[in-house]
Amino acid sequence: MESFVLYAAMALVLLTLALLLRSDLPRWLGMERRVDAEVIGHHSSVHDNTRSYAPVYRFGAEGRTHEVTDQVYSGREYPPVGTRVTLSYPHGRPDLARVPRPWLWLGVYAVLLYGLAVLIGKATGWLQG
């Protein structure tokens, strides 16, 4: 039973890595575009009786106007409406535009890879406990 759980967890981590790489690989290979966007509002979400906000950006790219919501929420409406922000997106996919946050994404990948290493270590017996 323990090995089933370990392999299922490894599969989940690998699937997560594959999905992240699918959208990030074009960015890393230099096939990304940069565009200036304007904050036009904030999307709000409530979790555990706490309200969080994510800016909504509007920009023009590839002959159309696009609106995207930031992936990172905060406890206040920041940046203010009307602020200009530079976004990046993979060539041909302005719907995937986001604020460049390389350190955040490096941290996400590091945590996933560390977790995968621990799971592999447990499954192969390298880690005891």
Side-chain angles (χ1 to χ4, degrees), residues 22-54:
R22 192 177 107 203
S23 67
D24 286 341
L25 206 52
R27 295 174 199 275
W28 295 345
L29 296 176
M31 297 182 291
E32 76 174 355
R33 303 284 188 254
R34 293 201 177 254
V35 65
D36 284 333
E38 180 180 355
V39 177
I40 60 165
H42 293 86
H43 179 266
S44 67
S45 175
V46 177
H47 187 287
D48 292 335
N49 294 325
T50 302
R51 185 169 297 277
S52 300
Y53 303 92

mmCIF file of all heavy atoms in Angstrom, residues 22-54:
data_model
loop_
_atom_site.group_PDB
_atom_site.id
_atom_site.type_symbol
_atom_site.label_atom_id
_atom_site.label_comp_id
_atom_site.label_asym_id
_atom_site.label_seq_id
_atom_site.Cartn_x
_atom_site.Cartn_y
_atom_site.Cartn_z
ATOM 1 N N ARG A 22 4.960 22.838 -19.961
ATOM 2 C CA ARG A 22 4.275 23.079 -21.232
ATOM 3 C C ARG A 22 4.069 24.572 -21.505
ATOM 4 O O ARG A 22 4.214 25.039 -22.620
ATOM 5 C CB ARG A 22 2.932 22.355 -21.225
ATOM 6 C CG ARG A 22 2.290 22.294 -22.591
ATOM 7 C CD ARG A 22 1.016 21.506 -22.534
ATOM 8 N NE ARG A 22 -0.074 22.466 -22.637
ATOM 9 C CZ ARG A 22 -1.288 22.272 -22.212
ATOM 10 N NH1 ARG A 22 -1.605 21.166 -21.605
ATOM 11 N NH2 ARG A 22 -2.203 23.188 -22.353
ATOM 12 N N SER A 23 3.766 25.318 -20.445
ATOM 13 C CA SER A 23 3.558 26.750 -20.654
ATOM 14 C C SER A 23 4.846 27.550 -20.484
ATOM 15 O O SER A 23 4.971 28.638 -21.041
ATOM 16 C CB SER A 23 2.475 27.282 -19.712
ATOM 17 O OG SER A 23 2.915 27.212 -18.386
ATOM 18 N N ASP A 24 5.808 27.024 -19.711
ATOM 19 C CA ASP A 24 7.034 27.781 -19.454
ATOM 20 C C ASP A 24 8.139 27.552 -20.474
ATOM 21 O O ASP A 24 8.981 28.424 -20.675
ATOM 22 C CB ASP A 24 7.578 27.460 -18.060
ATOM 23 C CG ASP A 24 6.761 28.114 -16.968
ATOM 24 O OD1 ASP A 24 6.031 29.083 -17.281
ATOM 25 O OD2 ASP A 24 6.857 27.674 -15.815
ATOM 26 N N LEU A 25 8.170 26.399 -21.124
ATOM 27 C CA LEU A 25 9.246 26.100 -22.063
ATOM 28 C C LEU A 25 9.353 27.126 -23.188
ATOM 29 O O LEU A 25 10.459 27.589 -23.488
ATOM 30 C CB LEU A 25 9.088 24.683 -22.618
ATOM 31 C CG LEU A 25 10.345 24.000 -23.089
ATOM 32 C CD1 LEU A 25 11.428 24.036 -22.032
ATOM 33 C CD2 LEU A 25 10.045 22.578 -23.502
ATOM 34 N N PRO A 26 8.244 27.538 -23.816
ATOM 35 C CA PRO A 26 8.377 28.580 -24.851
ATOM 36 C C PRO A 26 8.960 29.885 -24.310
ATOM 37 O O PRO A 26 9.712 30.568 -25.001
ATOM 38 C CB PRO A 26 6.940 28.792 -25.341
ATOM 39 C CG PRO A 26 6.237 27.532 -25.010
ATOM 40 C CD PRO A 26 6.881 27.021 -23.756
ATOM 41 N N ARG A 27 8.651 30.208 -23.065
ATOM 42 C CA ARG A 27 9.215 31.417 -22.457
ATOM 43 C C ARG A 27 10.720 31.275 -22.309
ATOM 44 O O ARG A 27 11.478 32.201 -22.546
ATOM 45 C CB ARG A 27 8.597 31.663 -21.084
ATOM 46 C CG ARG A 27 7.121 31.964 -21.103
ATOM 47 C CD ARG A 27 6.598 32.039 -19.669
ATOM 48 N NE ARG A 27 5.171 31.878 -19.597
ATOM 49 C CZ ARG A 27 4.295 32.858 -19.759
ATOM 50 N NH1 ARG A 27 4.695 34.062 -20.030
ATOM 51 N NH2 ARG A 27 2.998 32.616 -19.666
ATOM 52 N N TRP A 28 11.175 30.098 -21.865
ATOM 53 C CA TRP A 28 12.597 29.871 -21.633
ATOM 54 C C TRP A 28 13.384 29.796 -22.929
ATOM 55 O O TRP A 28 14.575 30.108 -22.961
ATOM 56 C CB TRP A 28 12.818 28.591 -20.853
ATOM 57 C CG TRP A 28 12.258 28.627 -19.470
ATOM 58 C CD1 TRP A 28 11.853 29.732 -18.757
ATOM 59 C CD2 TRP A 28 12.029 27.513 -18.624
ATOM 60 N NE1 TRP A 28 11.386 29.360 -17.534
ATOM 61 C CE2 TRP A 28 11.492 28.013 -17.412
ATOM 62 C CE3 TRP A 28 12.229 26.149 -18.762
ATOM 63 C CZ2 TRP A 28 11.148 27.179 -16.355
ATOM 64 C CZ3 TRP A 28 11.893 25.327 -17.711
ATOM 65 C CH2 TRP A 28 11.367 25.834 -16.528
ATOM 66 N N LEU A 29 12.748 29.372 -24.001
ATOM 67 C CA LEU A 29 13.437 29.239 -25.282
ATOM 68 C C LEU A 29 13.456 30.545 -26.060
ATOM 69 O O LEU A 29 13.849 30.574 -27.219
ATOM 70 C CB LEU A 29 12.791 28.127 -26.110
ATOM 71 C CG LEU A 29 12.896 26.728 -25.503
ATOM 72 C CD1 LEU A 29 12.146 25.722 -26.360
ATOM 73 C CD2 LEU A 29 14.349 26.317 -25.324
ATOM 74 N N GLY A 30 13.013 31.624 -25.435
ATOM 75 C CA GLY A 30 13.081 32.943 -26.049
ATOM 76 C C GLY A 30 11.958 33.248 -27.007
ATOM 77 O O GLY A 30 12.035 34.204 -27.772
ATOM 78 N N MET A 31 10.918 32.444 -26.989
ATOM 79 C CA MET A 31 9.795 32.675 -27.886
ATOM 80 C C MET A 31 8.667 33.386 -27.144
ATOM 81 O O MET A 31 7.520 33.007 -27.217
ATOM 82 C CB MET A 31 9.295 31.346 -28.450
ATOM 83 C CG MET A 31 10.318 30.639 -29.291
ATOM 84 S SD MET A 31 9.725 29.103 -30.007
ATOM 85 C CE MET A 31 9.553 28.069 -28.568
ATOM 86 N N GLU A 32 9.046 34.406 -26.381
ATOM 87 C CA GLU A 32 8.023 35.141 -25.649
ATOM 88 C C GLU A 32 7.954 36.574 -26.151
ATOM 89 O O GLU A 32 8.896 37.103 -26.720
ATOM 90 C CB GLU A 32 8.279 35.095 -24.146
ATOM 91 C CG GLU A 32 9.377 36.002 -23.667
ATOM 92 C CD GLU A 32 9.491 36.022 -22.149
ATOM 93 O OE1 GLU A 32 8.667 35.420 -21.461
ATOM 94 O OE2 GLU A 32 10.414 36.669 -21.658
ATOM 95 N N ARG A 33 6.811 37.145 -25.951
ATOM 96 C CA ARG A 33 6.579 38.535 -26.312
ATOM 97 C C ARG A 33 6.331 39.317 -25.039
ATOM 98 O O ARG A 33 5.807 38.796 -24.070
ATOM 99 C CB ARG A 33 5.352 38.657 -27.223
ATOM 100 C CG ARG A 33 5.434 37.847 -28.488
ATOM 101 C CD ARG A 33 6.362 38.524 -29.467
ATOM 102 N NE ARG A 33 6.319 37.876 -30.761
ATOM 103 C CZ ARG A 33 7.279 37.101 -31.235
ATOM 104 N NH1 ARG A 33 8.346 36.862 -30.523
ATOM 105 N NH2 ARG A 33 7.183 36.559 -32.420
ATOM 106 N N ARG A 34 6.686 40.582 -25.070
ATOM 107 C CA ARG A 34 6.401 41.482 -23.939
ATOM 108 C C ARG A 34 5.412 42.533 -24.418
ATOM 109 O O ARG A 34 5.476 42.990 -25.561
ATOM 110 C CB ARG A 34 7.675 42.113 -23.427
ATOM 111 C CG ARG A 34 8.595 41.081 -22.803
ATOM 112 C CD ARG A 34 9.573 41.741 -21.859
ATOM 113 N NE ARG A 34 10.404 40.749 -21.222
ATOM 114 C CZ ARG A 34 10.268 40.371 -19.962
ATOM 115 N NH1 ARG A 34 9.349 40.917 -19.212
ATOM 116 N NH2 ARG A 34 11.053 39.457 -19.444
ATOM 117 N N VAL A 35 4.545 42.934 -23.518
ATOM 118 C CA VAL A 35 3.515 43.907 -23.859
ATOM 119 C C VAL A 35 3.195 44.723 -22.621
ATOM 120 O O VAL A 35 3.271 44.230 -21.506
ATOM 121 C CB VAL A 35 2.252 43.186 -24.414
ATOM 122 C CG1 VAL A 35 1.612 42.323 -23.355
ATOM 123 C CG2 VAL A 35 1.261 44.153 -24.988
ATOM 124 N N ASP A 36 2.879 45.995 -22.833
ATOM 125 C CA ASP A 36 2.428 46.849 -21.732
ATOM 126 C C ASP A 36 0.926 46.684 -21.574
ATOM 127 O O ASP A 36 0.178 46.734 -22.549
ATOM 128 C CB ASP A 36 2.758 48.314 -22.007
ATOM 129 C CG ASP A 36 4.225 48.622 -21.798
ATOM 130 O OD1 ASP A 36 4.871 47.916 -20.998
ATOM 131 O OD2 ASP A 36 4.737 49.551 -22.440
ATOM 132 N N ALA A 37 0.517 46.482 -20.333
ATOM 133 C CA ALA A 37 -0.903 46.298 -20.033
ATOM 134 C C ALA A 37 -1.321 47.301 -18.970
ATOM 135 O O ALA A 37 -0.487 47.860 -18.252
ATOM 136 C CB ALA A 37 -1.149 44.881 -19.529
ATOM 137 N N GLU A 38 -2.614 47.529 -18.892
ATOM 138 C CA GLU A 38 -3.162 48.453 -17.897
ATOM 139 C C GLU A 38 -4.039 47.671 -16.927
ATOM 140 O O GLU A 38 -4.805 46.793 -17.328
ATOM 141 C CB GLU A 38 -4.003 49.523 -18.589
ATOM 142 C CG GLU A 38 -4.595 50.520 -17.628
ATOM 143 C CD GLU A 38 -5.431 51.592 -18.336
ATOM 144 O OE1 GLU A 38 -5.474 51.607 -19.573
ATOM 145 O OE2 GLU A 38 -6.022 52.407 -17.618
ATOM 146 N N VAL A 39 -3.919 47.994 -15.647
ATOM 147 C CA VAL A 39 -4.792 47.391 -14.635
ATOM 148 C C VAL A 39 -6.163 48.040 -14.788
ATOM 149 O O VAL A 39 -6.293 49.259 -14.689
ATOM 150 C CB VAL A 39 -4.241 47.613 -13.205
ATOM 151 C CG1 VAL A 39 -5.202 47.045 -12.171
ATOM 152 C CG2 VAL A 39 -2.860 47.015 -13.056
ATOM 153 N N ILE A 40 -7.185 47.210 -15.056
ATOM 154 C CA ILE A 40 -8.535 47.750 -15.270
ATOM 155 C C ILE A 40 -9.484 47.408 -14.123
ATOM 156 O O ILE A 40 -10.628 47.844 -14.118
ATOM 157 C CB ILE A 40 -9.132 47.260 -16.602
ATOM 158 C CG1 ILE A 40 -9.227 45.736 -16.618
ATOM 159 C CG2 ILE A 40 -8.323 47.791 -17.770
ATOM 160 C CD1 ILE A 40 -10.110 45.197 -17.720
ATOM 161 N N GLY A 41 -9.009 46.614 -13.178
ATOM 162 C CA GLY A 41 -9.848 46.226 -12.051
ATOM 163 C C GLY A 41 -9.158 45.137 -11.258
ATOM 164 O O GLY A 41 -7.988 44.823 -11.499
ATOM 165 N N HIS A 42 -9.914 44.560 -10.331
ATOM 166 C CA HIS A 42 -9.372 43.490 -9.495
ATOM 167 C C HIS A 42 -10.408 42.392 -9.337
ATOM 168 O O HIS A 42 -11.580 42.669 -9.098
ATOM 169 C CB HIS A 42 -8.960 44.014 -8.115
ATOM 170 C CG HIS A 42 -7.813 44.954 -8.187
ATOM 171 N ND1 HIS A 42 -7.972 46.300 -8.429
ATOM 172 C CD2 HIS A 42 -6.487 44.748 -8.065
ATOM 173 C CE1 HIS A 42 -6.788 46.884 -8.456
ATOM 174 N NE2 HIS A 42 -5.867 45.960 -8.234
ATOM 175 N N HIS A 43 -9.952 41.165 -9.484
ATOM 176 C CA HIS A 43 -10.807 40.006 -9.227
ATOM 177 C C HIS A 43 -10.687 39.682 -7.750
ATOM 178 O O HIS A 43 -9.588 39.643 -7.209
ATOM 179 C CB HIS A 43 -10.333 38.816 -10.073
ATOM 180 C CG HIS A 43 -11.149 37.594 -9.851
ATOM 181 N ND1 HIS A 43 -10.794 36.622 -8.948
ATOM 182 C CD2 HIS A 43 -12.319 37.200 -10.403
ATOM 183 C CE1 HIS A 43 -11.705 35.675 -8.964
ATOM 184 N NE2 HIS A 43 -12.635 35.995 -9.831
ATOM 185 N N SER A 44 -11.808 39.486 -7.084
ATOM 186 C CA SER A 44 -11.741 39.182 -5.656
ATOM 187 C C SER A 44 -12.183 37.748 -5.406
ATOM 188 O O SER A 44 -12.999 37.189 -6.134
ATOM 189 C CB SER A 44 -12.598 40.155 -4.850
ATOM 190 O OG SER A 44 -13.957 39.955 -5.137
ATOM 191 N N SER A 45 -11.613 37.186 -4.367
ATOM 192 C CA SER A 45 -11.906 35.817 -3.976
ATOM 193 C C SER A 45 -11.942 35.760 -2.464
ATOM 194 O O SER A 45 -11.178 36.444 -1.784
ATOM 195 C CB SER A 45 -10.818 34.885 -4.523
ATOM 196 O OG SER A 45 -11.023 33.574 -4.063
ATOM 197 N N VAL A 46 -12.840 34.940 -1.918
ATOM 198 C CA VAL A 46 -12.942 34.791 -0.470
ATOM 199 C C VAL A 46 -12.604 33.355 -0.108
ATOM 200 O O VAL A 46 -13.156 32.410 -0.685
ATOM 201 C CB VAL A 46 -14.351 35.145 0.050
ATOM 202 C CG1 VAL A 46 -14.454 34.914 1.547
ATOM 203 C CG2 VAL A 46 -14.706 36.570 -0.300
ATOM 204 N N HIS A 47 -11.665 33.192 0.817
ATOM 205 C CA HIS A 47 -11.285 31.872 1.305
ATOM 206 C C HIS A 47 -11.054 31.978 2.809
ATOM 207 O O HIS A 47 -10.296 32.828 3.256
ATOM 208 C CB HIS A 47 -10.016 31.398 0.593
ATOM 209 C CG HIS A 47 -9.662 29.986 0.912
ATOM 210 N ND1 HIS A 47 -9.148 29.604 2.111
ATOM 211 C CD2 HIS A 47 -9.765 28.853 0.173
ATOM 212 C CE1 HIS A 47 -8.932 28.302 2.108
ATOM 213 N NE2 HIS A 47 -9.300 27.823 0.943
ATOM 214 N N ASP A 48 -11.704 31.135 3.580
ATOM 215 C CA ASP A 48 -11.614 31.177 5.044
ATOM 216 C C ASP A 48 -11.936 32.565 5.595
ATOM 217 O O ASP A 48 -11.224 33.103 6.444
ATOM 218 C CB ASP A 48 -10.228 30.741 5.529
ATOM 219 C CG ASP A 48 -9.957 29.271 5.289
ATOM 220 O OD1 ASP A 48 -10.941 28.504 5.209
ATOM 221 O OD2 ASP A 48 -8.778 28.899 5.183
ATOM 222 N N ASN A 49 -12.995 33.176 5.063
ATOM 223 C CA ASN A 49 -13.463 34.494 5.490
ATOM 224 C C ASN A 49 -12.439 35.603 5.270
ATOM 225 O O ASN A 49 -12.483 36.635 5.930
ATOM 226 C CB ASN A 49 -13.911 34.476 6.954
ATOM 227 C CG ASN A 49 -15.132 33.616 7.148
ATOM 228 O OD1 ASN A 49 -15.997 33.553 6.275
ATOM 229 N ND2 ASN A 49 -15.212 32.943 8.274
ATOM 230 N N THR A 50 -11.483 35.387 4.378
ATOM 231 C CA THR A 50 -10.491 36.405 4.041
ATOM 232 C C THR A 50 -10.610 36.721 2.558
ATOM 233 O O THR A 50 -10.589 35.821 1.723
ATOM 234 C CB THR A 50 -9.064 35.904 4.348
ATOM 235 O OG1 THR A 50 -8.993 35.556 5.734
ATOM 236 C CG2 THR A 50 -8.037 36.969 4.041
ATOM 237 N N ARG A 51 -10.728 37.986 2.248
ATOM 238 C CA ARG A 51 -10.847 38.406 0.847
ATOM 239 C C ARG A 51 -9.459 38.680 0.272
ATOM 240 O O ARG A 51 -8.632 39.325 0.899
ATOM 241 C CB ARG A 51 -11.713 39.652 0.729
ATOM 242 C CG ARG A 51 -11.984 40.066 -0.710
ATOM 243 C CD ARG A 51 -13.046 41.130 -0.813
ATOM 244 N NE ARG A 51 -14.343 40.690 -0.337
ATOM 245 C CZ ARG A 51 -15.226 39.995 -1.062
ATOM 246 N NH1 ARG A 51 -14.924 39.651 -2.287
ATOM 247 N NH2 ARG A 51 -16.384 39.654 -0.548
ATOM 248 N N SER A 52 -9.223 38.161 -0.932
ATOM 249 C CA SER A 52 -7.967 38.381 -1.649
ATOM 250 C C SER A 52 -8.275 38.981 -3.008
ATOM 251 O O SER A 52 -9.366 38.784 -3.545
ATOM 252 C CB SER A 52 -7.217 37.058 -1.829
ATOM 253 O OG SER A 52 -6.918 36.484 -0.588
ATOM 254 N N TYR A 53 -7.301 39.691 -3.560
ATOM 255 C CA TYR A 53 -7.494 40.394 -4.826
ATOM 256 C C TYR A 53 -6.364 40.072 -5.799
ATOM 257 O O TYR A 53 -5.201 39.949 -5.407
ATOM 258 C CB TYR A 53 -7.512 41.912 -4.595
ATOM 259 C CG TYR A 53 -8.563 42.356 -3.620
ATOM 260 C CD1 TYR A 53 -8.277 42.476 -2.271
ATOM 261 C CD2 TYR A 53 -9.851 42.648 -4.058
ATOM 262 C CE1 TYR A 53 -9.244 42.875 -1.370
ATOM 263 C CE2 TYR A 53 -10.824 43.050 -3.152
ATOM 264 C CZ TYR A 53 -10.520 43.160 -1.818
ATOM 265 O OH TYR A 53 -11.480 43.550 -0.930
ATOM 266 N N ALA A 54 -6.732 39.969 -7.064
ATOM 267 C CA ALA A 54 -5.746 39.811 -8.132
ATOM 268 C C ALA A 54 -6.068 40.838 -9.213
ATOM 269 O O ALA A 54 -7.230 40.998 -9.607
ATOM 270 C CB ALA A 54 -5.801 38.412 -8.732
#
